[in-house]
Amino acid sequence: MKTVRLSLLLVSATIITACSQSEDPYGDTCKQIAAALTGAKTVAWENPDRVVDDGELRIDLFSPQTTANCFFKPTDKDYDDYDHIQGEFEPSPYKMLINGTEVPANELLKAAVMAMSSESKKAALKTMQEAKEKAKTAVEKSREAAAAAEEKIREVMDK
């Protein structure tokens, strides 16, 4: 069980840090894992509810077809209620419910890996596109600089 939990932490930490650009990385992680668990590539989740209860964070997702609840433990054991509204939580849900049924830990781990794989691919494709655009811009600037240098050389030679 400790190995599964550690694996979940590592996978979700990667998802959160590498792929999440929104202001709610926990909600994003929950959405990505829920999509992997349900096989629904494009679920139209409503805005997730964020609830802190007994120190743990619960993300509640709703769509016309599915509900998902992700439970995150706090990283800081010395907290007060205000801290936890804005606080830090483990990057991976330790428990998840889909349509009210708890997801077994091994399935949760597999879904987290699938979500990471999908998000990593998207991030890699985006990075490749950005690199291609920067290379194209650099080539254009190099051509302009070469043309300007050639013009200057001609001016000097003509004098």
Side-chain angles (χ1 to χ4, degrees):
M1 189 68 178
K2 286 184 179 183
T3 304
V4 170
R5 188 159 182 246
L6 178 61
S7 298
L8 278 171
L9 285 171
L10 294 172
V11 167
S12 293
T14 303
I15 293 171
I16 287 174
T17 57
C19 304
S20 180
Q21 300 299 321
S22 84
E23 293 186 25
D24 185 11
Y26 300 105
D28 292 346
T29 297
C30 190
K31 288 176 188 178
Q32 292 160 358
I33 294 172
L37 282 167
T38 61
K41 301 283 187 228
T42 56
V43 176
W45 298 111
E46 297 175 13
N47 289 333
D49 287 339
R50 184 181 175 107
V51 178
V52 176
D53 188 21
D54 290 333
E56 71 179 18
L57 170 66
R58 187 181 79 229
I59 302 289
D60 297 327
L61 302 177
F62 306 96
S63 79
Q65 311 88 350
T66 305
T67 62
N69 311 91
C70 297
F71 299 83
F72 298 85
K73 288 185 179 182
T75 55
D76 182 7
K77 302 301 179 201
D78 299 323
Y79 61 87
D80 61 36
D81 289 336
Y82 177 76
D83 288 341
H84 265 291
I85 292 171
Q86 303 298 324
E88 292 290 322
F89 300 90
E90 291 182 354
S92 173
Y94 73 93
K95 178 172 83 170
M96 188 165 181
L97 306 175
I98 298 289
N99 295 327
T101 303
E102 187 168 349
V103 176
N106 62 340
E107 287 184 38
L108 185 56
L109 176 60
K110 287 178 189 175
V113 169
M114 285 175 52
M116 182 185 71
S117 174
S118 173
E119 289 304 308
S120 295
K121 182 178 178 181
K122 287 178 192 174
L125 290 173
K126 181 180 176 186
T127 300
M128 286 172 43
Q129 183 63 32
E130 289 172 355
K132 184 178 176 182
E133 290 172 12
K134 287 180 181 180
K136 184 178 177 182
T137 301
V139 167
E140 290 172 6
K141 288 185 178 183
S142 294
R143 286 185 182 148
E144 291 171 3
E150 185 178 347
E151 179 76 24
K152 286 290 184 187
I153 290 171
R154 286 189 184 173
E155 287 176 8
V156 169
M157 297 289 277
D158 288 341
K159 290 184 180 180

Coordinates of all heavy atoms in Angstrom, one line a residue, residues 93-143:
P93 N -4.4 12.6 -5.0 CA -5.5 12.1 -4.1 C -5.2 10.8 -3.5 O -4.7 9.9 -4.2 CB -6.7 12.1 -5.1 CG -6.2 11.9 -6.4 CD -4.8 12.6 -6.4
Y94 N -5.4 10.6 -2.3 CA -5.2 9.3 -1.6 C -6.4 8.5 -1.8 O -6.4 7.2 -1.6 CB -4.8 9.5 -0.1 CG -6.0 9.9 0.7 CD1 -6.8 8.9 1.4 CD2 -6.3 11.2 0.9 CE1 -7.8 9.3 2.2 CE2 -7.4 11.6 1.7 CZ -8.1 10.6 2.4 OH -9.2 11.0 3.2
K95 N -7.6 9.1 -2.1 CA -8.8 8.4 -2.3 C -9.6 9.1 -3.4 O -9.6 10.3 -3.5 CB -9.6 8.3 -1.0 CG -10.9 7.6 -1.1 CD -11.6 7.4 0.3 CE -12.3 8.7 0.7 NZ -13.1 8.4 1.9
M96 N -10.4 8.3 -4.2 CA -11.2 8.9 -5.2 C -12.5 8.1 -5.3 O -12.5 6.9 -5.2 CB -10.5 8.9 -6.5 CG -11.2 9.7 -7.6 SD -10.0 10.1 -8.9 CE -11.0 11.0 -10.0
L97 N -13.6 8.8 -5.5 CA -14.9 8.2 -5.8 C -15.4 8.6 -7.2 O -15.2 9.8 -7.6 CB -15.9 8.7 -4.8 CG -15.6 8.6 -3.3 CD1 -16.8 9.2 -2.5 CD2 -15.5 7.1 -2.9
I98 N -15.9 7.6 -7.9 CA -16.5 7.9 -9.2 C -17.9 7.4 -9.1 O -18.2 6.3 -8.8 CB -15.8 7.1 -10.4 CG1 -14.4 7.6 -10.5 CG2 -16.6 7.3 -11.7 CD1 -14.2 9.0 -11.1
N99 N -18.9 8.4 -9.3 CA -20.3 8.1 -9.1 C -20.6 7.4 -7.7 O -21.4 6.5 -7.6 CB -20.8 7.2 -10.2 CG -20.8 7.9 -11.6 OD1 -20.9 9.2 -11.6 ND2 -20.5 7.2 -12.6
G100 N -19.9 7.9 -6.7 CA -20.1 7.4 -5.4 C -19.4 6.1 -5.0 O -19.5 5.7 -3.8
T101 N -18.7 5.5 -5.9 CA -18.0 4.3 -5.6 C -16.5 4.5 -5.5 O -15.9 5.1 -6.4 CB -18.3 3.2 -6.8 OG1 -19.7 3.0 -6.9 CG2 -17.6 1.9 -6.5
E102 N -15.9 4.0 -4.4 CA -14.5 4.2 -4.2 C -13.7 3.4 -5.3 O -13.9 2.3 -5.6 CB -14.1 3.8 -2.8 CG -12.6 4.2 -2.6 CD -12.2 4.0 -1.1 OE1 -13.1 3.9 -0.2 OE2 -11.0 4.1 -0.8
V103 N -12.7 4.1 -5.8 CA -11.8 3.5 -6.8 C -10.7 2.8 -6.1 O -10.0 3.4 -5.2 CB -11.2 4.6 -7.7 CG1 -10.2 4.1 -8.7 CG2 -12.3 5.4 -8.4
P104 N -10.5 1.5 -6.4 CA -9.4 0.8 -5.8 C -8.0 1.5 -6.0 O -7.8 2.1 -7.1 CB -9.4 -0.6 -6.5 CG -10.8 -0.7 -7.0 CD -11.2 0.7 -7.3
A105 N -7.1 1.4 -5.1 CA -5.8 2.1 -5.1 C -5.0 1.7 -6.4 O -4.5 2.6 -7.0 CB -5.0 1.8 -3.9
N106 N -5.1 0.5 -6.8 CA -4.3 0.1 -8.0 C -4.9 0.7 -9.3 O -4.2 1.1 -10.2 CB -4.1 -1.4 -8.1 CG -5.5 -2.1 -8.3 OD1 -6.5 -1.6 -8.0 ND2 -5.4 -3.4 -8.8
E107 N -6.2 0.8 -9.3 CA -6.8 1.5 -10.5 C -6.6 3.0 -10.5 O -6.4 3.6 -11.5 CB -8.3 1.2 -10.5 CG -8.7 -0.2 -10.9 CD -10.2 -0.4 -11.0 OE1 -10.9 0.6 -11.4 OE2 -10.7 -1.4 -10.6
L108 N -6.6 3.6 -9.3 CA -6.3 5.0 -9.1 C -4.8 5.3 -9.6 O -4.6 6.2 -10.4 CB -6.4 5.4 -7.7 CG -6.2 6.9 -7.4 CD1 -7.2 7.8 -8.2 CD2 -6.5 7.1 -5.9
L109 N -3.9 4.4 -9.3 CA -2.5 4.5 -9.8 C -2.4 4.4 -11.3 O -1.8 5.3 -11.9 CB -1.6 3.5 -9.1 CG -0.2 3.5 -9.6 CD1 0.5 4.8 -9.3 CD2 0.6 2.4 -8.9
K110 N -3.1 3.4 -11.9 CA -3.1 3.3 -13.3 C -3.7 4.5 -14.0 O -3.1 5.0 -15.0 CB -3.9 2.0 -13.7 CG -3.2 0.7 -13.4 CD -4.1 -0.4 -13.8 CE -3.5 -1.8 -13.3 NZ -4.4 -2.9 -13.6
A111 N -4.8 5.0 -13.5 CA -5.4 6.2 -14.1 C -4.5 7.4 -14.0 O -4.4 8.2 -14.9 CB -6.8 6.5 -13.4
A112 N -3.8 7.5 -12.8 CA -2.9 8.7 -12.7 C -1.8 8.6 -13.7 O -1.3 9.6 -14.3 CB -2.3 8.7 -11.3
V113 N -1.3 7.4 -13.9 CA -0.2 7.2 -14.9 C -0.7 7.5 -16.3 O 0.0 8.2 -17.1 CB 0.4 5.7 -14.9 CG1 1.3 5.4 -16.1 CG2 1.1 5.5 -13.6
M114 N -1.9 7.0 -16.6 CA -2.5 7.3 -18.0 C -2.7 8.8 -18.1 O -2.4 9.4 -19.2 CB -3.9 6.6 -18.1 CG -3.8 5.2 -18.4 SD -5.4 4.3 -18.4 CE -6.3 5.3 -19.5
A115 N -3.2 9.5 -17.1 CA -3.4 11.0 -17.2 C -2.0 11.7 -17.4 O -1.9 12.6 -18.2 CB -4.1 11.5 -15.9
M116 N -1.0 11.2 -16.6 CA 0.3 11.8 -16.8 C 0.8 11.6 -18.2 O 1.4 12.5 -18.8 CB 1.3 11.2 -15.8 CG 2.7 11.8 -15.9 SD 3.9 11.0 -14.8 CE 4.1 9.5 -15.7
S117 N 0.6 10.4 -18.8 CA 1.1 10.2 -20.1 C 0.4 11.1 -21.1 O 1.1 11.6 -22.0 CB 0.8 8.7 -20.4 OG 1.1 8.4 -21.8
S118 N -0.9 11.2 -21.0 CA -1.6 12.0 -21.9 C -1.2 13.5 -21.8 O -1.0 14.2 -22.8 CB -3.1 11.9 -21.6 OG -3.9 12.8 -22.4
E119 N -1.1 14.0 -20.6 CA -0.7 15.4 -20.4 C 0.7 15.6 -20.8 O 1.0 16.7 -21.3 CB -1.0 15.8 -18.9 CG -2.4 15.9 -18.6 CD -3.2 16.9 -19.5 OE1 -2.8 18.0 -19.6 OE2 -4.2 16.4 -20.0
S120 N 1.6 14.7 -20.6 CA 3.0 14.8 -21.0 C 3.1 14.9 -22.5 O 3.8 15.7 -23.0 CB 3.8 13.6 -20.5 OG 3.9 13.6 -19.1
K121 N 2.3 14.1 -23.2 CA 2.3 14.2 -24.6 C 1.8 15.5 -25.1 O 2.4 16.1 -26.0 CB 1.4 13.1 -25.2 CG 1.3 13.0 -26.7 CD 0.5 11.9 -27.2 CE 0.4 11.8 -28.7 NZ -0.4 10.7 -29.2
K122 N 0.7 16.0 -24.5 CA 0.2 17.4 -24.9 C 1.3 18.4 -24.6 O 1.5 19.3 -25.5 CB -1.1 17.7 -24.1 CG -2.3 16.9 -24.5 CD -3.5 17.3 -23.7 CE -4.6 16.4 -23.8 NZ -5.7 16.7 -22.9
A123 N 1.9 18.4 -23.5 CA 2.9 19.4 -23.1 C 4.1 19.3 -24.1 O 4.7 20.3 -24.5 CB 3.4 19.2 -21.7
A124 N 4.5 18.1 -24.5 CA 5.6 17.9 -25.4 C 5.3 18.4 -26.8 O 6.1 19.1 -27.4 CB 6.0 16.4 -25.5
L125 N 4.1 18.2 -27.3 CA 3.6 18.7 -28.5 C 3.6 20.2 -28.5 O 4.0 20.9 -29.5 CB 2.3 18.2 -28.9 CG 2.3 16.7 -29.3 CD1 0.8 16.2 -29.5 CD2 3.1 16.4 -30.6
K126 N 3.1 20.8 -27.4 CA 3.1 22.3 -27.3 C 4.5 22.8 -27.3 O 4.8 23.8 -28.0 CB 2.3 22.7 -26.0 CG 2.2 24.2 -25.8 CD 1.5 24.5 -24.6 CE 1.5 26.0 -24.4 NZ 0.9 26.4 -23.1
T127 N 5.4 22.2 -26.6 CA 6.8 22.7 -26.5 C 7.4 22.6 -27.9 O 8.2 23.5 -28.3 CB 7.6 21.8 -25.5 OG1 6.9 22.0 -24.2 CG2 9.0 22.3 -25.4
M128 N 7.2 21.5 -28.6 CA 7.7 21.3 -29.9 C 7.2 22.4 -30.9 O 8.0 23.0 -31.7 CB 7.4 20.0 -30.5 CG 8.2 18.8 -29.9 SD 7.7 17.2 -30.3 CE 7.4 17.3 -32.1
Q129 N 6.0 22.8 -30.8 CA 5.4 23.8 -31.6 C 6.0 25.2 -31.3 O 6.4 25.9 -32.2 CB 3.9 23.9 -31.5 CG 3.2 24.9 -32.4 CD 3.4 24.6 -33.8 OE1 3.4 23.4 -34.3 NE2 3.4 25.6 -34.6
E130 N 6.2 25.4 -30.0 CA 6.8 26.7 -29.6 C 8.2 26.8 -30.1 O 8.7 27.8 -30.6 CB 6.7 26.8 -28.1 CG 5.3 27.1 -27.6 CD 5.2 27.1 -26.0 OE1 6.2 26.7 -25.4 OE2 4.1 27.4 -25.5
A131 N 9.0 25.7 -30.0 CA 10.3 25.6 -30.5 C 10.4 25.9 -32.0 O 11.3 26.6 -32.4 CB 11.0 24.3 -30.1
K132 N 9.5 25.3 -32.7 CA 9.5 25.4 -34.1 C 9.2 26.9 -34.5 O 9.8 27.4 -35.4 CB 8.3 24.5 -34.7 CG 8.3 24.6 -36.2 CD 7.2 23.6 -36.7 CE 7.0 23.7 -38.2 NZ 5.9 22.8 -38.6
E133 N 8.3 27.5 -33.8 CA 8.0 28.9 -34.0 C 9.2 29.8 -33.7 O 9.5 30.8 -34.5 CB 6.8 29.4 -33.2 CG 5.5 28.8 -33.8 CD 4.3 29.0 -32.8 OE1 4.4 29.9 -31.9 OE2 3.2 28.4 -33.1
K134 N 9.9 29.5 -32.6 CA 11.1 30.3 -32.2 C 12.2 30.1 -33.3 O 12.9 31.1 -33.6 CB 11.5 29.9 -30.8 CG 10.6 30.5 -29.7 CD 11.1 30.1 -28.4 CE 10.2 30.6 -27.3 NZ 10.6 30.2 -26.0
A135 N 12.3 28.9 -33.7 CA 13.4 28.6 -34.8 C 13.0 29.4 -36.0 O 13.9 30.0 -36.7 CB 13.5 27.1 -35.0
K136 N 11.8 29.4 -36.4 CA 11.4 30.1 -37.6 C 11.7 31.6 -37.5 O 12.2 32.3 -38.4 CB 9.9 29.9 -37.9 CG 9.4 30.5 -39.2 CD 7.9 30.2 -39.4 CE 7.4 30.9 -40.6 NZ 5.9 30.6 -40.8
T137 N 11.3 32.2 -36.3 CA 11.6 33.6 -36.0 C 13.1 33.9 -36.1 O 13.6 34.9 -36.6 CB 11.0 34.0 -34.7 OG1 9.6 33.8 -34.7 CG2 11.3 35.4 -34.4
A138 N 13.9 33.0 -35.5 CA 15.4 33.1 -35.5 C 15.9 33.1 -36.9 O 16.8 33.9 -37.3 CB 16.0 32.1 -34.6
V139 N 15.4 32.2 -37.8 CA 15.9 32.1 -39.2 C 15.5 33.4 -39.9 O 16.4 34.0 -40.6 CB 15.2 30.9 -39.9 CG1 15.4 31.0 -41.4 CG2 15.8 29.6 -39.3
E140 N 14.3 33.9 -39.7 CA 13.9 35.2 -40.3 C 14.8 36.3 -39.9 O 15.3 37.2 -40.7 CB 12.5 35.5 -40.0 CG 11.5 34.6 -40.7 CD 10.0 34.8 -40.2 OE1 9.8 35.7 -39.4 OE2 9.2 34.0 -40.7
K141 N 15.1 36.4 -38.6 CA 16.0 37.5 -38.1 C 17.4 37.3 -38.6 O 18.0 38.3 -38.9 CB 16.0 37.5 -36.5 CG 14.7 38.0 -36.0 CD 14.7 38.2 -34.5 CE 13.4 38.7 -34.0 NZ 13.5 38.9 -32.5
S142 N 17.9 36.1 -38.7 CA 19.2 35.9 -39.3 C 19.3 36.3 -40.7 O 20.3 36.9 -41.2 CB 19.6 34.4 -39.2 OG 19.7 34.0 -37.9
R143 N 18.3 36.0 -41.5 CA 18.2 36.5 -42.9 C 18.2 38.0 -43.0 O 18.9 38.6 -43.9 CB 17.0 35.9 -43.6 CG 17.1 34.4 -43.9 CD 15.9 33.9 -44.7 NE 16.1 32.5 -44.9 CZ 15.1 31.6 -45.0 NH1 13.9 32.0 -44.9 NH2 15.4 30.3 -45.2

